[in-house]
Amino acid sequence: MSTVARTEAETIASPRSAVKIGHETHKLEKRLCREAGRAITTFRMIEEGDKVMVCMSGGKDSYTLLDVLLRLQARAPIRFELVAVNLDQKQPGFPAHVLPEYLARTGVRFHIENEDTYGIVKRLIPEGKTTCSLCSRLRRGILYRVAGELGCSKIALGHHRDDILQTLLLNMFFGGKLKSMPPKLVSDDGRHVVIRPLAYVAEKDIARWATHRAFPIIPCNLCGSQENLQRKQVGDLLRDWEGRFPGRVPNMFNALQNVVASHLLDGRLYDFENARATGMASADGDRAFDPDTFPAPAPALPGMQVVQRP
């Protein structure tokens, strides 16, 4: 094809591509708002008259959280306020102007809290050790205080579906607990309700939305390049599973909403000691001798061989 012909073909195809991209972006926006709205409704995260503090870190998750909540606020049948809050931890080289400038453009009410937690962390944590745990505790305490000072009834965090599953596996693998991130909980000090409106949202959708919206992302430099963090390893594991076995990650997430306590081992959740035969059938009864019945696995990816074992 000549250069002229190729240019003409690209000109013809370009509008079609633009329409397709616009259509896909519209579908993505609807999905984000639908899933956030579903979480908010299912767990009654936001109610009439609430004042919600949206915690802004400068990462893709918190930008998306604020963006989605602003869209839902405009169309919700109830009235609630939003106030965006960023904690400037005085990290060297932190671009302190980025978030205030962005938030001012959105028109949302915002507050920047200045606390030198960076100095505390660097003083207490030996060089090369993970700083996330102490940083998180310090940040949480400050945000609780600010929420009280601002009169906020809810504290919204940007954790998404993949964060919840990563936390589940981290607790199983390294903590010996069947525990994850709840979509809604009472804060440590008992004074606030913490919510995660993006609990049903996939991280890949957030990443796509952040790219589309061109959010001014601020990387977290406090923990440096700690590439071997356990959370990153578990995140890579989940992405690998979903790539090789599509549907596995959503099924794991659904499992968190379908807990059968009588088929686990925690006597605090089910009274095993006093379990007795009653002569009556039970929906949660013993299935020890029944074959496992699971949906058929997804077709293997090209180039992969399925081996049937006896």
Side-chain angles (χ1 to χ4, degrees):
M1 181 183 292
S2 68
T3 303
V4 173
R6 185 166 57 249
T7 302
E8 290 177 350
E10 290 171 352
T11 301
I12 294 173
S14 181
R16 295 178 182 175
S17 299
V19 170
K20 181 178 180 181
I21 292 173
H23 178 64
E24 291 299 318
T25 301
H26 179 63
K27 286 170 54 179
L28 175 60
E29 178 188 359
K30 288 182 63 176
R31 183 161 63 250
L32 288 170
C33 290
R34 180 179 67 247
E35 296 294 10
R38 182 163 70 97
I40 290 171
T41 302
T42 300
F43 301 105
R44 196 180 291 182
M45 293 184 181
I46 300 176
E47 300 172 274
E48 177 73 32
D50 268 340
K51 187 173 184 179
V52 182
M53 184 174 91
V54 184
C55 297
M56 299 291 298
S57 66
K60 70 181 189 312
D61 304 336
S62 61
Y63 276 118
T64 300
L65 173 64
L66 178 63
D67 209 29
V68 169
L69 287 179
L70 285 169
R71 293 167 192 271
L72 293 178
Q73 184 188 43
R75 64 187 73 163
I78 61 172
R79 293 177 298 103
F80 61 91
E81 296 181 54
L82 296 174
V83 53
V85 172
N86 168 251
L87 172 59
D88 184 345
Q89 300 175 264
K90 300 305 175 186
Q91 301 172 8
F94 180 77
H97 65 285
V98 171
L99 268 170
E101 291 176 0
Y102 172 82
L103 295 171
R105 290 197 300 270
T106 68
V108 69
R109 181 186 172 192
F110 68 92
H111 171 80
I112 307 297
E113 184 72 12
N114 294 282
E115 290 280 352
D116 185 13
T117 60
Y118 176 85
I120 297 174
V121 169
K122 299 305 286 185
R123 187 173 69 252
L124 297 179
I125 302 296
E127 190 69 28
K129 297 295 184 179
T130 302
T131 59
C132 299
S133 179
L134 176 58
C135 177
S136 178
R137 290 199 302 273
L138 292 171
R139 185 169 61 247
R140 182 166 61 242
I142 294 168
L143 290 174
Y144 286 170
R145 172 179 59 77
V146 173
E149 293 171 354
L150 296 177
C152 296
S153 52
K154 302 287 174 60
I155 300 174
L157 304 178
H159 298 121
H160 45 70
R161 184 195 71 181
D162 299 66
D163 286 325
I164 292 172
L165 286 176
Q166 288 172 22
T167 303
L168 172 68
L169 295 185
L170 281 168
N171 278 309
M172 289 175 62
F173 294 164
F174 304 107
K177 295 180 181 179
L178 198 59
K179 173 185 175 183
S180 185
M181 289 178 174
K184 178 181 178 182
L185 74 157
V186 177
S187 62
D188 295 352
D189 59 9
R191 298 171 54 202
H192 308 284
V193 175
V194 178
I195 59 175
R196 296 182 169 100
L198 301 182
Y200 289 148
V201 177
E203 183 177 21
K204 62 183 179 181
D205 283 345
I206 292 175
R208 285 180 57 203
W209 187 249
T211 299
H212 166 68
R213 296 284 286 153
F215 294 135
I217 305 298
I218 302 174
C220 178
N221 296 319
L222 179 57
C223 50
S225 58
Q226 294 170 336
E227 292 296 327
N228 293 320
L229 291 176
Q230 293 168 337
R231 180 171 290 276
K232 182 183 183 303
Q233 293 174 343
V234 170
D236 291 342
L237 174 66
L238 285 171
R239 282 185 288 273
D240 176 64
W241 280 352
E242 183 61 17
R244 292 192 294 134
F245 309 104
R248 177 171 291 185
V249 169
N251 279 344
M252 290 176 62
F253 187 76
N254 290 337
L256 289 175
Q257 304 167 77
N258 291 282
V259 177
V260 183
S262 63
H263 284 49
L264 297 176
L265 281 76
D266 193 336
R268 296 168 299 180
L269 301 179
Y270 186 82
D271 189 4
F272 293 102
E273 290 185 8
N274 294 310
R276 299 288 186 274
T278 64
M280 300 179 64
S282 170
D284 289 337
D286 181 26
R287 297 290 185 271
F289 301 103
D290 293 346
D292 292 331
T293 55
F294 300 119
L301 297 177
M304 293 183 64
Q305 181 180 9
V306 178
V307 179
Q308 297 289 344
R309 298 187 183 276

